[in-house]
Amino acid sequence: MFRLQRSVNFRFPFRSLKTETHAMSMSRRTMALLSRWSSRVFSVDVDGETIYFKIRDNQPGKGAEEMQRIFGDVQKYAKYYSLLVSSGDKIYTARFHWELKDKLLAALPPQCHFSPMCSFVPRVKDSLVRGYFLRADSPESSATTERLLRQWLQLDDPLLVCSYLQKNENSPQWIQYIWNHEQNHGIVPSEAPQYHPATLNLINSDVFYSFQAAREVFKKCVDIIPEAASVLELLPCDADVEARSEPDFPVIVLEGLDATGKTTLTESLRDVLGATLLRSPPECLTPWRARFDQEPPILRRTFYALGNYITAQQIYRQTSKTPVIIDRFWHSTAAYAIATAVSGPVCNLPAEGSELYRWPGDLLQPSLVVLLTLDPEERKRRLKDRGQEETKEEHELDLNQLFRLRVEEAYGRISGPTCISVDASSSAEQVLQQVLLLIKAKCHL
């Protein structure tokens, strides 16, 4: 669980953006959630493990031991709450949830902790709702927590708040009470779903499969992120994206984690083949990259997805004259997005062959994609020797072995085209010769 540090008062920054229509939309969304409440499954991340539970009224005593894994060794004064964030506006909801973590850290009292949680309807796309599970460990912290939660509800923000309590001291049954809706439900453990719940909302939220879908999301955030307008001005028009033809010269993509030797290899290939070297995201997006790296996943992923389409237009302009070498392309965008959205072990990833790994139908397909692989310890050593500042995701790769494994596995599952792995532990010259052999065989250069 996240530990809270200090207590201050604040108001959510989105209130000034809301309109009467938006508030009505949020109300309809809440009612839609409640209409299928008994079909929903809830999950809480506890100490690196995901615990699932569901509504099951009138079954006292069911799953006492499993429920204790969520609520822990129940303390006399402990109180439990959940916050689920949902509105009719995907971007509003994403930004609200993204900033809610910081607000909880700042506003809730000491002796209060929280963990990520979500709610979803199994096998129903776009049914995932994210939020947080809270535990207040003293009468003072629970009183302050409840007061803050009631204040936030009065702001008409997209919060659905629940409390959790035992039916009585001698009963192992837990009750979920939905605030402002006067609903009580018994809850019992649930089996883990066949696929990780995050996969329900991946399409065109974390991974984009068309230029139009990514651009439409980006256009909606211009009012709240002025920099988005500058990015939109750089995008190709629909006709340019649709008017695709087979490149005259091969397009070769180099993929891999940082410090696997991509920069050295791409520059060597450029010189040996007389090729044009491009990078994704393209340099024209550099002024806004740090800005969108601070945004929630849906906007960050949209930014990088659109960067791929700008790169594709640059490729078309060059392939009539020379081969093109690209330092990262859509594989990176998709692999990092999937591995970030889907937590836990590799088995939680979408199954091999899933539509989530398919190449966008309107994006140029490379002639060859080479994935450079490297032993994790050697990669760490190289990163240290370079002395450069790590990106947030690279830092996560170093700290979280499961995240690294998910990224690597997602790379390998993307189709159209698939990656061909090359061991990058040899000398730069040996790796270059290996890749040149692949290019000769696959691209006839």
Side-chain angles (χ1 to χ4, degrees), residues 134-234:
L134 285 65
R135 187 189 77 220
D137 288 341
S138 70
E140 295 79 10
S141 63
S142 61
T144 302
T145 298
E146 291 206 10
R147 184 174 67 253
L148 286 168
L149 294 182
R150 294 190 186 282
Q151 289 175 0
W152 296 349
L153 281 178
Q154 291 174 4
L155 295 176
D156 292 327
D157 285 308
L159 287 175
L160 189 64
V161 180
C162 300
S163 299
Y164 298 83
L165 59 151
Q166 283 182 293
K167 191 171 184 179
N168 57 62
E169 292 185 1
N170 299 318
S171 170
Q173 184 180 19
W174 284 86
I175 302 296
Q176 178 194 69
Y177 171 66
I178 305 176
W179 291 23
N180 289 3
H181 295 281
E182 298 183 356
Q183 293 186 22
N184 290 313
H185 300 282
I187 55 175
V188 296
S190 175
E191 294 181 355
Q194 183 178 5
Y195 300 109
H196 192 280
T199 61
L200 297 172
N201 284 34
L202 274 175
I203 295 178
N204 295 333
S205 287
D206 292 276
V207 186
F208 289 85
Y209 297 90
S210 74
F211 172 70
Q212 183 177 2
R215 187 184 58 182
E216 287 305 309
V217 168
F218 218 66
K219 287 168 65 175
K220 292 178 181 177
C221 71
V222 170
D223 290 341
I224 53 177
I225 306 177
E227 294 88 344
S230 299
V231 176
L232 288 170
E233 292 176 358
L234 298 175

Side-chain angles (χ1 to χ4, degrees), residues 171-445:
S171 170
Q173 184 180 19
W174 284 86
I175 302 296
Q176 178 194 69
Y177 171 66
I178 305 176
W179 291 23
N180 289 3
H181 295 281
E182 298 183 356
Q183 293 186 22
N184 290 313
H185 300 282
I187 55 175
V188 296
S190 175
E191 294 181 355
Q194 183 178 5
Y195 300 109
H196 192 280
T199 61
L200 297 172
N201 284 34
L202 274 175
I203 295 178
N204 295 333
S205 287
D206 292 276
V207 186
F208 289 85
Y209 297 90
S210 74
F211 172 70
Q212 183 177 2
R215 187 184 58 182
E216 287 305 309
V217 168
F218 218 66
K219 287 168 65 175
K220 292 178 181 177
C221 71
V222 170
D223 290 341
I224 53 177
I225 306 177
E227 294 88 344
S230 299
V231 176
L232 288 170
E233 292 176 358
L234 298 175
L235 299 181
C237 65
D238 288 337
D240 289 336
V241 172
E242 294 170 0
R244 296 177 298 148
S245 58
E246 190 72 22
D248 295 330
F249 283 89
V251 178
I252 301 154
V253 176
L254 273 295
E255 292 281 3
L257 308 182
D258 280 359
T260 53
K262 288 192 313 302
T263 300
T264 300
L265 180 57
T266 53
E267 292 175 352
S268 297
L269 288 172
R270 175 196 60 193
D271 297 340
V272 171
L273 300 175
T276 299
L277 175 57
L278 299 174
R279 291 183 170 84
S280 186
E283 291 185 7
C284 63
L285 292 184
T286 300
W288 303 286
R289 188 172 179 177
R291 175 68 180 85
F292 284 95
D293 278 345
Q294 299 173 3
E295 290 296 324
I298 186 172
L299 296 182
R300 188 166 69 250
R301 301 306 178 191
T302 309
F303 175 79
Y304 286 103
L306 293 172
N308 287 327
Y309 286 94
I310 295 174
T311 298
Q313 293 308 112
Q314 295 175 345
I315 294 169
Y316 281 124
R317 289 195 290 268
Q318 296 299 324
T319 52
S320 62
K321 299 174 285 187
T322 67
V324 174
I325 309 296
I326 313 173
D327 186 341
R328 288 186 170 170
F329 200 37
W330 193 80
H331 282 76
S332 290
T333 308
Y336 275 91
I338 293 171
T340 301
V342 178
S343 60
V346 169
C347 63
N348 282 353
L349 289 174
E352 196 164 357
S354 166
E355 63 175 339
L356 297 172
Y357 298 117
R358 63 179 169 84
W359 190 271
D362 59 357
L363 183 65
L364 177 146
Q365 288 195 19
S367 313
L368 174 67
V369 181
V370 175
L371 175 64
L372 298 180
T373 61
L374 194 63
D375 176 78
E377 292 304 317
E378 172 62 14
R379 199 180 73 86
K380 284 184 180 181
R381 185 190 66 77
R382 291 186 185 184
L383 279 171
K384 185 177 181 181
D385 290 345
R386 285 160 55 169
Q388 70 179 48
E389 185 177 349
E390 290 182 315
T391 64
K392 181 179 179 180
E393 286 177 330
E394 282 298 326
H395 183 64
E396 180 69 13
L397 284 171
D398 287 341
L399 294 179
N400 189 333
Q401 182 183 15
L402 286 177
F403 178 57
R404 176 180 59 79
L405 292 173
R406 293 196 304 272
V407 171
E408 293 175 341
E409 184 63 27
Y411 263 125
R413 294 184 181 184
I414 293 172
S415 59
T418 56
C419 292
I420 298 177
S421 296
V422 170
D423 184 356
S425 60
S426 303
S427 68
E429 179 61 28
Q430 288 175 313
V431 174
L432 172 62
Q433 294 306 318
Q434 281 183 272
V435 175
L436 285 173
L437 287 174
L438 281 174
I439 293 172
K440 182 178 180 180
K442 301 288 185 180
C443 304
H444 309 294
L445 276 180

